[in-house]
Amino acid sequence: METTYNPAVKLPPKETLEKDIALLLNCLTKIDDASGEYLLDFDGLKVDDKSWCVWNWPQGIGLFGTYMNYRITGNEKALRIVKDWFEARMQEGAPSKNINTMAPLLAMAFLYEDTQDSRYVPYLERWAEWAMNDLTRTEERGFQHVTYGPAHTQQLWDDTLMMTVLPLAKIGMLLGRDEYVQEARYQLMVHIKYLADRETGLWFHGWSFERRDNFADALWCRGNCWITISFPLFIEVLGLKKDDALYELLVQTLRAQIKALAEYQDESGLWHTLINDPSSYLETSGSAGMAFGILKAVHKRYVDPSYENVANKAINGVLSQMGDHGQLKNVSVGTGLEDNLDYYRNIATTDMPYGQSLSVLALTEALVSYC
């Protein structure tokens, strides 16, 4: 008879986690860069990277975390937040297409799957077709990390897997488009080839085919969290079976990363924004994302059950950063790919939609532990 594993690191009671999720979601919808302090300026093109009412990647991650909470718990408030956001954005019109602005399509795909609202189909089809046919490719046909501003010529970023490849995989499975699915599988493999650090098991932020290097070799916290989050989701979304070579590749790559994360985890439960540099600050959003991914990997039996202690410790660390109104400390703003580590050490912090939603994701997965 199988024995139940009881983690030594305990979480708050279920009722407390549910109250904390409510606070985080309430704060999420109020995030706004009213002063313009965090506007990005790309040669006169002003990009709001922070406010909730914008179609971009921070909001896309915000929508995904919120919708997963609804899917797992039936939280009607979470569903209403996501539906209201899409209603408002569809009235305004979608922005230009790039790697980051595709991020909201992941939540939209899940929403369409559940509601069968036909209004979402043209968005899913057009954005997937853009990724397949119009998105610039690097050498070896990788997705170039095209965003607002610089072209990031011949660059692969770990962010791309979460922002564009995962939505493409989900859309492909939903709409029965095998070419989308095969493209997503290939992008996973080429990103693993160039971004996974063979020495530590962690992930570099980016790779340049022009420079033939990983820039500063930054083992960046939030970049690593995109891997910890997305790999269990890719297995689930693509319906990968154990006899599929890609299943084995994803699981083994994830195990190597999580083993390293356990070794580098701070006593607080969080990880430093440069994971292997204890002089860099502890960062909340990436830590929350990794807490979710590790715990989900435990629940899906991709990793040893002992890693539940690592995830629970991280969740407690995230909760220690949360204020009375759901605001979070030490959430770094959008972070580019640079060739010096001081750039990462000095990234500013503020409330961001992904900080809230990655924390919601982690706490929602923690609720599964009580089942």
Side-chain angles (χ1 to χ4, degrees), residues 66 83 121 148 186 207 218 308:
T66 303
K83 280 189 167 183
V121 174
Y148 292 119
Y186 176 75
W207 164 264
E308 187 167 357

Side-chain angles (χ1 to χ4, degrees), residues 58-313:
Q59 299 76 20
I61 299 300
L63 292 163
F64 174 70
T66 303
Y67 197 69
M68 289 303 100
N69 175 256
Y70 163 70
R71 269 203 153 194
I72 292 172
T73 69
N75 183 354
E76 290 293 331
K77 178 180 179 180
L79 175 62
R80 189 164 58 251
I81 288 171
V82 174
K83 280 189 167 183
D84 288 350
W85 191 93
F86 278 118
E87 289 297 328
R89 303 295 82 74
M90 288 191 297
Q91 288 295 318
E92 294 170 355
S96 59
K97 296 175 177 65
N98 62 50
I99 290 287
N100 284 342
T101 56
M102 190 164 174
L105 274 294
L106 181 59
M108 181 182 277
F110 279 102
L111 185 60
Y112 170 68
E113 182 176 35
D114 293 341
T115 65
Q116 293 297 298
D117 187 333
S118 62
R119 295 177 303 157
Y120 301 135
V121 174
Y123 290 89
L124 300 175
E125 290 179 337
R126 292 196 66 196
W127 286 74
E129 282 295 302
W130 165 80
M132 289 294 295
N133 300 305
D134 300 321
L135 175 55
T136 306
R137 299 299 202 269
T138 65
E139 289 181 31
E140 300 190 27
R141 218 172 51 72
F143 281 176
Q144 182 168 304
H145 194 77
V146 177
T147 64
Y148 292 119
H152 303 136
T153 302
Q154 292 293 323
Q155 292 178 18
L156 301 177
W157 293 26
D158 43 26
D159 315 51
T160 300
L161 292 177
M162 187 75 196
M163 308 309 166
T164 292
V165 181
L166 188 56
L168 181 65
K170 181 64 179 176
I171 294 168
M173 294 297 290
L174 264 182
L175 302 185
R177 300 294 296 270
D178 186 61
E179 65 271 30
Y180 299 172
V181 173
Q182 295 306 318
E183 184 66 38
R185 291 171 64 100
Y186 176 75
Q187 292 302 324
L188 276 164
M189 291 185 284
V190 77
H191 280 73
I192 291 171
K193 178 179 179 180
Y194 286 103
L195 297 180
D197 176 21
R198 293 173 177 82
E199 182 177 346
T200 64
L202 299 171
W203 278 56
F204 297 117
H205 187 182
W207 164 264
S208 168
F209 283 100
E210 290 184 335
R211 294 165 52 113
R212 311 303 300 185
D213 67 13
N214 296 105
F215 285 77
D217 290 344
L219 301 173
W220 174 48
C221 180
R222 194 165 57 245
N224 269 267
C225 101
W226 301 137
I227 307 310
T228 328
I229 292 170
S230 67
F231 275 30
L233 294 173
F234 272 113
I235 294 171
E236 195 171 273
V237 164
L238 294 172
L240 299 179
K241 307 299 183 185
K242 290 184 178 181
D243 61 354
D244 189 318
L246 182 59
Y247 172 97
E248 188 69 15
L249 178 62
L250 295 184
V251 168
Q252 294 299 339
T253 305
L254 184 64
R255 285 176 181 170
Q257 190 210 31
I258 290 176
K259 180 177 183 292
L261 289 175
E263 294 169 358
Y264 282 106
Q265 188 176 31
D266 184 74
E267 277 305 306
S268 66
L270 304 177
W271 283 273
H272 294 272
T273 199
L274 291 170
I275 292 174
N276 60 338
D277 178 8
S279 73
S280 64
Y281 64 82
L282 295 166
E283 205 281 327
T284 304
S285 68
S287 297
M290 290 186 289
F292 162 77
I294 294 169
L295 194 52
K296 188 171 182 67
V298 168
H299 290 158
K300 294 293 185 178
R301 300 176 182 267
Y302 302 144
V303 296
D304 189 85
S306 62
Y307 287 111
E308 187 167 357
N309 283 317
V310 177
N312 288 354
K313 187 175 180 181

Side-chain angles (χ1 to χ4, degrees), residues 7 11 295 299 308 312 364-371:
L11 292 171
L295 194 52
H299 290 158
E308 187 167 357
N312 288 354
T364 301
E365 191 65 28
L367 293 178
V368 175
S369 299
Y370 287 94
C371 296

